[in-house]
Amino acid sequence: MMINFTQVSYFTLGAYFDTRFFKYLYFLIILAIYILIICSNVLLIVVICMNRSLHEPMYLFLCSLFVNELYGSTGVFPFLLVQILSDVHTVSAPLCFLQIFCLYSYGGVEFLTLAIMSYDRYLAICYPLHYNKHMTSKKVAILTLFVWLYSALPPAVMISLTFPLQLCGNIINKVYCDNYPIVKLACYDTTVNNIYGLVYMFTVALGLIILIIYSYMKILRVCFSGSKQTRQKAVSTCTPHLASLLNFSFGCFFEIVQGRFNMNGVPNMLRIFLSLYWLTCQPLFNPLLYGLKMSKIRIICKSLAFETKDRIQTAMKPIMVTSRETEGTALDGHEVLEGHEVLEGHEVLFSLHRPLRNIKSLSLG
């Protein structure tokens, strides 16, 4: 039996449906979320980089995490904005594979960084006296570089296995490009692709999960055997990390389930929401979570906000004074005499009001 196949030059995204005028509402919502993600992550990156008190391993790992949020959201949000307003939901094959690389490498950096942060907390809480010896600036730089370089390797291998496949169709039932839906379009056996995906999932992901569980078991052991102050410090530093890890794992779990199992019984809007959850909520969730829960970051952000407010009020004072002055004309029966006065280091105009009738009486005299 002959199987008809062609070399696919573009893919059609089949999860989009006609929303009529609501597409402009969806466009504004996605745009607002993207702007909020950019502003919040950039703010925390600048705060960490500009304050020497935050040049510690934990905050440097956080900075890498925030950069990754910008990287991942940029890989999907501009694409979604274009597709929402478009009447034809197609994407070229090279651009589709580029998006797959961006999203999978984003997921790798996220998971590896969270695993290293759990190891960092383990050293800080369980071995506080030896922490600076084990977690040096050089080691932080090496670990960060390793995370980014290693996270790019598995997606590159995966795409090199998927790209040469002969496909019998070009419709992907998602709102963005994904590897496994393309593999399912192949006309021939894809055992190699499936084995590689499963091995990567159960070795790398499982290894990271074991590392994280081991780290937090040790942390809990120290917390229960330590003082109340030790427990409070451990909880305050570990709570944001655990919440971020659970949120990201939740999103990845639903994405894997959607790809591997038949989800036709699930409403289309719910499937779209679950497929976008790990790409939209995590970049928005992390900066808000760490910005609110980490005391050092919260204090610096508050001081910056109050300092900015004071500068605005100081800059507005001369404007408010000059806005109340007039141009030497008669107003409400008074003559305005203009002059200059130095107020708080700024030269401002002052006005003297004198009744007109007094001027007339002087001229008659």
Side-chain angles (χ1 to χ4, degrees):
M1 179 179 178
M2 295 294 294
I3 300 176
N4 293 325
F5 62 84
T6 56
Q7 188 67 37
V8 173
S9 60
Y10 68 92
F11 293 100
T12 300
L13 303 172
Y16 289 94
F17 56 92
D18 185 19
T19 56
R20 298 178 181 270
F21 295 106
F22 286 104
K23 67 180 181 180
Y24 300 107
L25 176 62
Y26 296 145
F27 177 87
L28 291 176
I29 292 173
I30 296 296
L31 181 62
I33 294 174
Y34 185 43
I35 292 173
L36 185 58
I37 287 172
I38 291 175
C39 293
S40 57
N41 283 281
V42 168
L43 172 64
L44 293 184
I45 291 170
V46 172
V47 166
I48 292 173
C49 292
M50 297 297 292
N51 290 272
R52 291 187 176 274
S53 62
L54 297 180
H55 290 181
E56 300 175 4
M58 179 176 64
Y59 297 105
L60 295 177
F61 289 135
L62 276 178
C63 189
S64 176
L65 194 68
F66 297 144
V67 171
N68 188 50
E69 306 302 356
L70 293 174
Y71 169 65
S73 58
T74 303
V76 68
F77 274 90
F79 180 83
L80 290 176
L81 292 173
V82 172
Q83 291 295 328
I84 287 172
L85 295 181
S86 178
D87 295 326
V88 181
H89 305 290
T90 59
V91 55
S92 64
L95 184 60
C96 190
F97 284 110
L98 177 62
Q99 186 180 51
I100 291 171
F101 175 82
C102 290
L103 298 185
Y104 277 75
S105 56
Y106 158 75
V109 172
E110 192 82 9
F111 223 140
L112 280 169
T113 303
L114 290 173
I116 290 176
M117 287 173 66
S118 68
Y119 175 70
D120 174 73
R121 292 300 83 206
Y122 160 71
L123 290 178
I125 295 171
C126 298
Y127 301 98
L129 298 179
H130 303 283
Y131 177 73
N132 292 329
K133 179 182 177 182
H134 290 293
M135 195 61 70
T136 61
S137 300
K138 183 179 179 180
K139 192 171 184 178
V140 170
I142 292 173
L143 287 173
T144 304
L145 186 62
F146 168 77
V147 165
W148 282 89
L149 292 179
Y150 179 78
S151 298
L153 183 60
V157 175
M158 181 183 64
I159 291 172
S160 67
L161 294 174
T162 304
F163 190 79
L165 292 176
Q166 300 293 337
L167 307 180
C168 293
N170 68 338
I171 299 177
I172 304 173
N173 290 318
K174 300 198 72 169
V175 293
Y176 59 88
C177 294
D178 195 5
N179 182 70
Y180 192 67
I182 296 176
V183 173
K184 291 195 292 186
L185 295 174
C187 302
Y188 296 105
D189 184 45
T190 57
T191 304
V192 176
N193 301 73
N194 294 329
I195 291 176
Y196 176 78
L198 292 173
V199 168
Y200 174 73
M201 184 187 304
F202 286 104
T203 54
V204 178
L206 190 62
L208 293 175
I209 291 172
I210 291 173
L211 174 62
I212 292 169
I213 292 174
Y214 173 80
S215 300
Y216 278 98
M217 285 179 64
K218 291 290 186 179
I219 291 172
L220 288 173
R221 183 180 177 183
V222 171
C223 290
F224 284 120
S225 62
S227 62
K228 184 178 179 181
Q229 184 179 2
T230 304
R231 287 196 296 271
Q232 289 178 345
K233 183 178 179 181
V235 169
S236 64
T237 56
C238 294
T239 298
H241 177 258
L242 277 174
S244 177
L245 180 64
L246 291 174
N247 182 66
F248 187 68
S249 301
F250 173 81
C252 290
F253 171 76
F254 276 103
E255 179 61 16
I256 292 171
V257 168
Q258 281 198 91
R260 298 288 172 175
F261 299 97
N262 186 5
M263 302 289 288
N264 292 331
V266 180
N268 193 33
M269 284 295 294
L270 182 58
R271 277 188 290 166
I272 293 174
F273 173 78
L274 291 176
S275 66
L276 289 173
Y277 182 86
W278 70 292
L279 294 170
T280 56
C281 290
Q282 189 73 2
L284 188 61
F285 184 73
N286 273 345
L288 295 177
L289 179 68
Y290 286 104
L292 294 174
K293 293 296 292 183
M294 305 296 285
S295 58
K296 280 189 177 181
I297 295 178
R298 185 174 68 249
I299 291 170
I300 292 175
C301 288
K302 282 184 178 180
S303 65
L304 287 175
F306 286 121
E307 184 179 350
T308 304
K309 183 180 178 181
D310 292 340
R311 287 181 179 178
I312 293 174
Q313 289 178 347
T314 304
M316 288 296 291
K317 281 183 180 179
I319 299 175
M320 292 173 66
V321 174
T322 55
S323 65
R324 289 194 296 265
E325 66 186 23
T326 58
E327 297 179 355
T329 59
L331 182 63
D332 294 334
H334 291 73
E335 183 188 30
V336 181
L337 301 178
E338 295 184 345
H340 292 79
E341 182 180 0
V342 176
L343 179 62
E344 294 186 1
H346 298 280
E347 187 181 15
V348 297
L349 295 173
F350 70 88
S351 302
L352 295 177
H353 295 71
R354 188 167 60 191
L356 288 173
R357 61 177 177 271
N358 293 341
I359 298 174
K360 290 179 180 179
S361 62
L362 288 173
S363 62
L364 290 174

